[in-house]
């Protein structure tokens, strides 16, 4: 079944390049997304056998993060049908600079989108550090054309920035692989393969200094792609200039892939007896990321960039939760689900706002609740959710992390965490909620809202609302088991 998870989007990607009909290609996109989601759903009821000598396997971490990615991809594929239908293939006027540009061919866009799903599947299910690195780089290459869908100079600049900075991160993580290989080499004349399970089983035999060095390079390298500060600088540009459905996948799924890479390195470091070393680094990067987000979200003029800085904040919270250990690890895993659902929903709604108002400037958007009421209502709900307002799931996961810090008596972290959350809450609320109220400053030509434009984000936000009220027992058990694998409970 793992082969099916990889080959369905992979083959659909190649097929989409051969199909001439745009409508048929869109059906293919949705069909592949449905097929992938159905198989991922089956993974919760039966065990999938590893493939290629164990290089790819669906362990609990893979199951959790791949399920998130698969669900998000399904929702965005529904959204993409209407989006692609409305996009013009010939010259299109840039609403910011009044210049004309063309979009990338839809066939290329759809092929890269499906290949992105195939590569994410390989990253998350990879059990070998070398394969993990290769597939992580592949996600960079297939997502770059997605960012450059609107072929104007801003998206080109954002794409190059994304490629250059993430390539630096990938190069740094390659050094992490080298150091890990040294740490696992020539003990009793036998080297340990770079398989996750082998390294964890032989953790006590690894060279400790090289394990520490490897973790630092993995954290910096994959942290660059995850959006951890201070190497997050590609993220606001890429999220702002991408089509909104691509921004939703970048924020809700791609950042998680990089997080999985860090978790794999964390498991090995913990098995080598250096968990405290890794936790301290994660706490530091987590708080620094939240600090950068708090500084840049205040007074942010571009509402898509505001959402991007919010992603930096939440990636910091994920790192902080794993770093604190204990029940905070459970909170971190739960937070990954809630953030992905909420942020993907918000970016899809941002796409609806952009289509209606033709601007990304928050100051020029007023009266969402009256001009596009369905999207306006979802925008308000999404903003409340992402800022940690009860009863949404993010409130619950942030509270679990806070309580863990209090229980451990780490009051300096508690104070910093609360202050940064409060600043970001005020910053985002002041910008986003103002957009929903009042009357539109400029005349807005709005056709009736199509269900396909607001139902996918509505489903995503309903899911995070439901998780804030009730966490299914089976999901809770899985999150606790993952937490125990990462030194928590």
């Amino acid at each position: 079944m793992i082969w099916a998870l990889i080959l369905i989007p992979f083959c659909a990607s190649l097929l989409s390049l051969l199909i001439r009909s745009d409508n048929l290609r869109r059906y293919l996109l949705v069909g592949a997304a449905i097929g992938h989601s159905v198989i991922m759903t089956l993974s919760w009821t039966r065990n999938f056998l590893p493939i290629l000598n164990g290089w790819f396997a669906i362990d609990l971490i893979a199951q959790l993060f791949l399920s998130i990615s698969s669900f998000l991809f399904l929702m965005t594929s529904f959204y993409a049908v209407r989006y692609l239908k409305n996009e013009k293939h010939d010259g299109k006027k840039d609403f910011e600079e009044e210049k004309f540009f063309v979009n990338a061919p839809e066939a290329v866009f759809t092929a890269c989108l499906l290949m992105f799903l195939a590569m994410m599947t390989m990253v998350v299910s990879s059990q070998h550090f070398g394969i993990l690195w290769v597939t992580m780089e592949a996600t960079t290459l297939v997502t770059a054309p997605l960012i450059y869908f609107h072929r104007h100079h801003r998206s080109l600049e954002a794409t190059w920035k994304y490629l250059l900075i993430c390539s630096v991160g990938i190069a740094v993580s390659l050094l992490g692989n080298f150091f890990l290989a040294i740490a696992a080499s020539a003990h009793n004349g036998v080297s340990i393969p770079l398989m996750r399970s082998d390294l964890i089983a032989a953790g006590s035999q690894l060279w400790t200094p090289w394990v520490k060095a490897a973790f630092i390079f993995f954290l910096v390298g994959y942290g660059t792609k995850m959006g951890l500060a201070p190497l997050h600088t590609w993220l606001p540009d890429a999220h702002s200039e991408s089509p909104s459905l691509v921004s939703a996948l970048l924020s809700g799924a791609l950042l998680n892939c990089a997080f999985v890479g860090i978790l794999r390195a964390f498991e090995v470091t913990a098995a080598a007896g250096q968990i405290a070393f890794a936790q301290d680094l994660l706490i530091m990067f987590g708080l620094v990321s939240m600090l950068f987000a708090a500084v840049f979200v205040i007074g942010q003029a571009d509402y898509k960039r505001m959402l991007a800085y919010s992603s930096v904040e939440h990636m910091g919270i994920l790192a902080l939760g794993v770093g604190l250990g204990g029940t905070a690890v459970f909170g971190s895993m739960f937070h990954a689900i809630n953030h992905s659902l909420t942020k993907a929903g918000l970016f899809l709604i941002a796409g609806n706002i952009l289509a209606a108002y033709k601007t990304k400037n928050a100051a020029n958007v007023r009266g969402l609740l009256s001009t596009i009421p369905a999207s306006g209502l979802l925008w308000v709900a999404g903003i409340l959710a992402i800022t940690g307002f009860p009863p949404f799931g993010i409130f619950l996961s942030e509270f679990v992390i806070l309580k863990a810090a209090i229980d451990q008596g780490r009051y300096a972290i508690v104070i910093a965490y609360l202050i940064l959350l409060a600043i970001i809450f005020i910053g985002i609320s002041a910008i986003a909620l103002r957009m929903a109220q009042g009357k539109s400053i400029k005349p807005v030509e709005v056709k009736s809202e199509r269900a396909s434009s607001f139902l996918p984000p509505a489903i995503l936000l309903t899911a995070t609302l439901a998780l804030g009220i009730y966490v299914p027992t089976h999901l809770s058990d899985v999150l606790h088991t993952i937490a125990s694998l990462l030194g928590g409970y």
Side-chain angles (χ1 to χ4, degrees):
M1 299 301 275
I2 298 176
W3 278 119
L5 285 171
I6 297 171
L7 290 178
I8 286 176
F10 186 87
C11 293
S13 171
L14 299 180
L15 193 57
S16 67
L17 292 171
L18 304 175
I19 295 175
R20 292 191 173 184
S21 165
D22 288 337
N23 285 331
L24 187 57
R25 193 182 300 110
R26 291 164 200 157
Y27 287 130
L28 178 67
L29 173 65
V30 174
I34 292 173
H36 195 276
S37 297
V38 168
I39 296 174
M40 271 316 300
T41 304
L42 290 176
S43 75
W44 289 82
T45 59
R46 63 185 70 178
N47 292 324
F48 290 176
L49 294 177
I51 61 173
L52 295 177
N53 297 319
W55 282 7
F56 297 99
I58 303 295
D59 60 346
L60 285 178
I61 292 177
Q63 186 179 38
L64 173 66
F65 286 97
L66 197 50
S67 296
I68 296 171
S69 299
S70 187
F71 182 56
L72 294 190
F73 195 91
L74 179 64
M75 291 297 109
T76 51
S77 70
F78 289 138
Y79 184 91
V81 171
R82 173 61 54 181
Y83 176 83
L84 292 172
K85 192 173 182 180
N86 289 339
E87 285 292 316
K88 295 178 181 177
H89 295 288
D90 50 358
K92 184 178 177 181
K93 196 172 185 180
D94 181 6
F95 55 79
E96 289 194 30
E97 299 181 7
E98 303 292 323
K99 296 178 181 177
F100 283 89
F101 66 93
V102 296
N103 289 329
E106 186 176 327
V108 174
F109 181 81
T110 307
C112 288
L113 207 58
L114 287 162
M115 194 60 77
F116 179 32
L117 179 60
M119 292 303 109
M120 284 195 295
T121 304
M122 296 177 75
V123 168
V124 176
S125 62
S126 175
Q127 302 294 310
H128 189 285
F129 277 87
I131 302 296
L132 174 67
W133 182 85
V134 171
T135 51
M136 192 77 78
E137 172 64 4
T139 60
T140 305
L141 297 177
V142 298
T143 47
L146 298 176
I147 298 171
Y148 189 43
F149 177 62
H150 299 309
R151 293 186 169 176
H152 48 60
H153 74 91
R154 296 189 310 281
S155 61
L156 179 62
E157 183 181 339
T159 304
W160 275 113
K161 196 171 183 180
Y162 170 69
L163 281 171
L164 288 173
I165 296 177
C166 286
S167 295
V168 170
I170 287 293
V172 171
S173 57
L174 179 61
L175 291 176
N177 275 310
F178 291 159
F179 292 151
L180 189 60
I182 295 172
S185 65
H187 278 271
N188 302 321
V190 179
S191 295
I192 303 167
L194 292 185
M195 292 287 290
R196 167 183 162 272
S197 56
D198 292 334
L199 290 167
I200 292 173
S204 60
Q205 301 174 37
L206 300 176
W207 292 98
T208 302
W210 290 109
V211 171
K212 287 182 174 180
F215 182 76
I216 291 172
F217 280 79
F218 278 129
L219 180 57
V220 174
Y222 291 146
T224 300
K225 191 153 186 169
M226 183 182 167
L228 290 178
L231 295 171
H232 66 285
T233 49
W234 65 270
L235 198 146
D237 291 310
H239 284 53
S240 175
E241 297 303 332
S242 301
S244 292
L245 67 99
V246 175
S247 304
L249 288 173
L250 290 178
S251 186
L254 180 65
L255 303 187
N256 284 347
C257 290
F259 184 46
V260 168
I262 293 173
L263 293 181
R264 301 296 192 200
F266 181 85
E267 285 182 289
V268 174
T269 309
Q274 301 303 316
I275 189 169
F277 171 78
Q279 286 175 327
D280 289 343
L281 285 174
L282 285 168
I283 290 172
M284 182 185 73
F285 273 87
L287 289 176
V288 168
S289 298
M290 292 182 69
L291 176 63
F292 269 76
V295 170
F296 285 100
V297 83
I298 296 290
Q300 183 58 243
D302 184 328
Y303 55 86
K304 286 191 74 179
R305 290 179 75 91
M306 177 195 73
L307 295 178
Y309 281 113
S310 167
S311 294
V312 175
E313 172 212 359
H314 288 282
M315 290 304 105
I317 293 174
L318 294 185
L320 178 65
V322 176
L324 284 171
T327 54
V329 185
F330 169 88
S332 178
M333 297 301 109
F334 189 43
H335 195 74
I337 302 173
N338 290 313
H339 170 256
S340 296
L341 297 173
T342 309
K343 190 55 64 61
L346 273 171
F347 268 117
L348 295 183
I349 299 162
N352 296 346
I353 298 171
L354 187 58
Y357 285 80
K358 314 296 183 193
T359 179
K360 290 185 288 184
N361 190 330
N364 293 332
V365 178
R366 291 289 182 274
L368 286 177
L369 289 171
S370 56
T371 51
I372 43 174
S375 295
L377 186 62
L378 290 171
W379 178 254
V380 173
I383 291 300
L384 293 176
I386 205 67
T387 50
F389 207 81
F392 291 96
I394 284 183
F395 166 77
L396 190 56
S397 51
E398 288 181 348
F399 180 77
V400 170
I401 294 172
L402 173 67
K403 186 173 184 306
I406 294 172
D407 291 343
Q408 295 173 20
R410 309 181 82 161
Y411 298 113
I413 293 175
V414 170
I415 292 170
Y417 182 67
L418 286 175
I419 290 174
L420 293 171
L421 283 180
I423 293 173
I424 294 167
F425 174 80
I426 294 169
I428 292 179
S429 300
I431 299 167
L433 295 183
R434 199 178 299 152
M435 294 165 60
Q437 302 167 350
K439 293 183 179 179
S440 177
I441 299 171
K442 295 186 293 185
V444 179
E445 294 182 7
V446 182
K447 299 175 183 176
S448 61
E449 290 184 88
R450 298 274 185 173
S452 58
S453 68
F454 63 79
L455 273 183
I459 292 170
L460 292 167
L461 293 177
T462 302
T464 189
L465 175 63
L467 287 174
I469 298 170
Y470 173 70
V471 182
T473 305
H474 185 54
L475 176 62
S476 177
D477 291 342
V478 168
L479 296 180
H480 277 296
T481 306
I482 293 174
S484 67
L485 294 172
L486 299 170
Y489 50 86

